[in-house]
Amino acid sequence: MGTGADPITRLIHELGKLPGIGERTATRLAFHVMRAPESLAQGLAQALLDVKAKVRLCSSCMNLTEDDPCALCADARRDPGLLCVVATPADLLAVDRGGAFRGRYHVLHGVLSPLEGIGPDDLRIGDLVRRLRDAEAASGGTAQPIREVILALSPNVEGEATALYLARLLRPLGPRVTRIASGVPIGGELEYVDQVTIARALEARREV
Amino acid sequence: MGTGADPITRLIHELGKLPGIGERTATRLAFHVMRAPESLAQGLAQALLDVKAKVRLCSSCMNLTEDDPCALCADARRDPGLLCVVATPADLLAVDRGGAFRGRYHVLHGVLSPLEGIGPDDLRIGDLVRRLRDAEAASGGTAQPIREVILALSPNVEGEATALYLARLLRPLGPRVTRIASGVPIGGELEYVDQVTIARALEARREV
């Protein structure tokens, strides 16, 4: 469908390129945009252009950011001795939304996946190692070394493999390497939780 | 959230204004846009702006269009004596997608709904009556009158009420006024069809 199509068909087509949005949903969204005030279309269009024009990677944590270093790395109230490693910027957002973690982050931009041909060199692992070494080297002065690396990777095959790989790689560099707990989610109904999660939750049981 | 927010947060916020898109989906879409080639964001942004800048109502059928009269009204192969009345441009698209109907359309832009304060004057009913009268008046020359008005309105309370109102209003002007059939959808499982639909399908049974 070229630029020759009428604007409505073209908008439906463009919306349909987004993941999880089929022709039906795209049509519904397009007609909503047409009924809505012009500011909705303009605001969304501007946000789409801005995000591509202004967003780059933070040279320290590799998160997507407008400024370098990013707001998280520049925040002096965040503990630089505590590093949370996540697979994607979306995962970082999910971890940070809760406000439970007040250290720094490092975004890998993926996980190890031999099946998809994704090895260590395809991820931001080299940058992570360099960051740990730099912090160690500078720790004589005003900076402090990284005491703990928390691996916040999804508990699936690729996440497990990546966590294992990173633990072996990073431990010799000095920090404690930990992994976020897996188990039954808070508010979850035991009845509907899968067996692997139940098994993991039993294994990791603690004294009350 | 003003324009001061960072581009990612702003895109998530703007996407979240679309119907049926919550914060989670908006976040997923925003990160997809950031990973995707720049052309995706640009194409969608341009389509959003175009649709608001270029789309207006066809002065004949009241459908959304770039040109006036619209492509459907300008298509000489379509029977001008057959008029299909729909509630919305989306409904028009749904009817026309099948290709089973080769006449003209008229879009009401809503249905009668006393509860929401939507009366006949809020819909494009006056334009419909004028269209029937004009076709009748011009039918002495090259034009032909409208022989049949097919009401393709959803089979719910508002759709039924609107169909009844239009039938009474339009029949004295000359045309046959018909309604699309309701019943068990093709490919539907009888087991899962609601009772009202079953009752309607039984009532409207036909000889095989």
Side-chain angles (χ1 to χ4, degrees), chain A residues 7 10 33-34 36 50 52 66, chain B residues 7 10 34 36 50 52 66:
Chain A
R10 213 160 62 239
V33 168
M34 280 182 288
D50 280 358
K52 294 305 281 191
E66 197 173 2
Chain B
R10 211 159 64 236
M34 280 184 286
D50 279 357
K52 294 306 280 191
E66 195 174 3

Side-chain angles (χ1 to χ4, degrees), chain A residues 5-8 10-12 14-15 17-21 23 27-29 31-38 40-45 47-52 54-55 64-66 89-90 93 97, chain B residues 5-8 10-12 14-15 17-21 23 27-29 31-38 40-45 47-52 54-55 64-66 89-90 93 97:
Chain A
D6 74 286
I8 304 173
R10 213 160 62 239
L11 178 58
I12 293 173
E14 293 291 338
L15 285 166
K17 288 181 183 171
L18 297 175
I21 297 202
E23 195 184 341
T27 306
R28 192 166 49 80
L29 294 179
F31 282 116
H32 176 86
V33 168
M34 280 182 288
R35 273 196 312 273
E38 191 155 358
L40 181 122
Q42 282 173 343
L44 181 50
L48 283 162
L49 297 175
D50 280 358
V51 99
K52 294 305 281 191
K54 295 184 184 165
V55 173
L64 298 167
T65 178
E66 197 173 2
L93 219 62
R97 200 172 277 151
Chain B
D6 75 284
I8 305 173
R10 211 159 64 236
L11 178 58
I12 294 172
E14 294 291 338
L15 285 167
K17 287 181 183 171
L18 296 174
I21 297 202
E23 195 185 340
T27 306
R28 194 166 49 81
L29 294 178
F31 281 116
H32 176 85
V33 168
M34 280 184 286
R35 272 196 312 273
E38 191 155 359
L40 182 124
Q42 283 173 343
L44 180 51
L48 283 162
L49 296 175
D50 279 357
V51 100
K52 294 306 280 191
K54 295 183 184 167
V55 174
L64 298 168
T65 179
E66 195 174 3
L93 219 62
R97 200 172 278 152

Side-chain angles (χ1 to χ4, degrees), chain A residues 17-193:
Chain A
K17 288 181 183 171
L18 297 175
I21 297 202
E23 195 184 341
R24 227 168 239 262
T25 308
T27 306
R28 192 166 49 80
L29 294 179
F31 282 116
H32 176 86
V33 168
M34 280 182 288
R35 273 196 312 273
E38 191 155 358
S39 62
L40 181 122
Q42 282 173 343
L44 181 50
Q46 197 53 53
L48 283 162
L49 297 175
D50 280 358
V51 99
K52 294 305 281 191
K54 295 184 184 165
V55 173
R56 76 208 85 218
L57 292 190
C58 170
S59 60
S60 172
C61 73
M62 303 297 149
N63 190 23
L64 298 167
T65 178
E66 197 173 2
D67 308 307
D68 189 10
C70 71
L72 292 169
C73 286
D75 187 347
R77 290 164 305 174
R78 284 182 168 268
D79 184 349
L82 214 54
L83 200 63
C84 179
V85 174
V86 291
T88 65
D91 286 353
L92 185 155
L93 219 62
V95 172
D96 206 61
R97 200 172 277 151
F101 180 72
R102 299 296 299 161
R104 307 287 171 94
Y105 291 94
H106 191 87
V107 183
L108 297 177
H109 290 276
V111 282
L112 295 177
S113 174
L115 283 176
E116 294 179 44
I118 299 174
D121 294 343
D122 301 310
L123 305 178
R124 297 298 185 153
I125 292 179
D127 298 296
L128 174 58
V129 170
R130 199 171 314 121
R131 206 171 155 192
L132 282 163
R133 287 218 175 102
D134 288 353
E136 187 65 38
S139 67
T142 51
Q144 54 172 299
I146 292 166
R147 303 184 308 277
E148 181 175 350
V149 174
I150 303 173
L151 304 173
L153 301 166
S154 295
N156 50 30
V157 177
E158 286 90 359
E160 299 281 347
T162 310
L164 212 64
Y165 177 87
L166 288 177
R168 282 190 194 149
L169 182 73
L170 303 181
R171 232 171 236 131
L173 301 176
R176 249 183 100 197
V177 180
T178 59
R179 177 104 204 260
I180 53 166
S182 34
V184 179
I186 306 299
E189 303 270 359
L190 261 192
E191 191 180 340
Y192 303 118
V193 172

Side-chain angles (χ1 to χ4, degrees), chain B residues 173-197:
Chain B
L173 300 176
R176 250 183 99 197
V177 180
T178 58
R179 178 105 204 260
I180 54 165
S182 34
V184 179
I186 306 297
E189 303 269 1
L190 262 190
E191 189 180 343
Y192 302 118
V193 171
D194 66 289
Q195 295 181 0
V196 181
T197 300

Side-chain angles (χ1 to χ4, degrees), chain A residues 35, chain B residues 57-58 60-64 83-93 95 104-113 118-132 149-154 156 158-167 169-170 177-179:
Chain A
R35 273 196 312 273
Chain B
L57 291 191
C58 169
S60 173
C61 73
M62 303 297 150
N63 189 22
L64 298 168
L83 200 64
C84 179
V85 174
V86 292
T88 65
D91 286 354
L92 186 154
L93 219 62
V95 172
R104 307 288 172 95
Y105 290 93
H106 191 88
V107 183
L108 297 177
H109 289 276
V111 281
L112 295 176
S113 175
I118 300 174
D121 293 343
D122 301 310
L123 306 178
R124 297 299 185 150
I125 292 178
D127 297 297
L128 175 57
V129 171
R130 199 170 314 120
R131 207 172 155 190
L132 281 163
V149 174
I150 303 173
L151 304 173
L153 301 167
S154 295
N156 52 30
E158 286 89 358
E160 300 281 348
T162 309
L164 212 66
Y165 177 87
L166 287 177
L169 183 73
L170 303 181
V177 180
T178 58
R179 178 105 204 260

